[in-house]
Amino acid sequence: MPFRRIASKELAEMLSVLGHPCRLRIIEEIGSGERDVATLAELLGISHSGTSQHLSHLRAHRLVAERREGRRVFYHLANPELSKWLLSGLKMLERNADTSREIKTSIRRARAAWSKS
């Protein structure tokens, strides 16, 4: 069944792009609206250039899109459903019985914060 192979390959590629904590944070931070690189760098606590590299990777895989306003570049999700999908993943992790209390609390707090954004 070639369609299954193609679909699995595409999904695996997207998951590999999302396989970095900073990229997941970027997706969640722009889930509710546009943000520029400086704002994202501050929210993530990483350098401007590091943030730009992660955004470049996400943009190359068509997960985020950009809008220019003068010299500033604003990023938004190419598909807003991605943020909801990741929040569902957090809910699944939170329900994992083997997860420590500290991890469950962190996941719950992150879900709540990102849901409000």
Side-chain angles (χ1 to χ4, degrees):
M1 309 275 171
F3 66 92
R4 289 181 178 170
R5 187 177 15 214
I6 292 168
S8 297
K9 181 178 179 275
E10 290 299 311
L11 184 58
E13 187 173 318
M14 183 183 70
L15 291 172
S16 73
V17 172
L18 295 173
H20 192 286
C22 287
R23 293 187 200 129
L24 290 172
R25 286 280 316 278
I26 288 170
I27 295 295
E28 291 306 328
E29 295 297 345
I30 64 176
S32 62
E34 294 182 321
R35 302 250 199 272
D36 65 349
V37 177
T39 301
L40 287 169
E42 185 178 327
L43 288 168
L44 272 60
I46 62 174
S47 69
H48 189 280
S49 63
T51 303
S52 292
Q53 288 175 353
H54 287 299
L55 285 164
S56 176
H57 205 65
L58 291 166
R59 194 174 58 248
H61 288 86
R62 300 174 311 279
L63 297 177
V64 300
E66 64 182 43
R67 177 183 65 82
R68 294 187 178 272
E69 190 175 289
R71 294 178 54 178
R72 292 177 68 191
V73 181
F74 294 88
Y75 292 89
H76 59 273
L77 293 179
N79 182 346
E81 289 296 313
L82 179 57
S83 182
K84 293 176 188 171
W85 187 62
L86 292 176
L87 283 171
S88 295
L90 283 176
K91 184 182 267 185
M92 185 179 75
L93 288 174
E94 187 180 346
R95 291 182 178 160
N96 186 343
D98 294 337
T99 304
S100 73
R101 182 183 312 241
E102 179 184 10
I103 292 172
K104 283 184 180 187
T105 300
S106 295
I107 290 170
R108 188 177 314 113
R109 290 181 68 195
R111 244 184 61 230
W114 289 336
S115 294
K116 292 177 187 176
S117 301

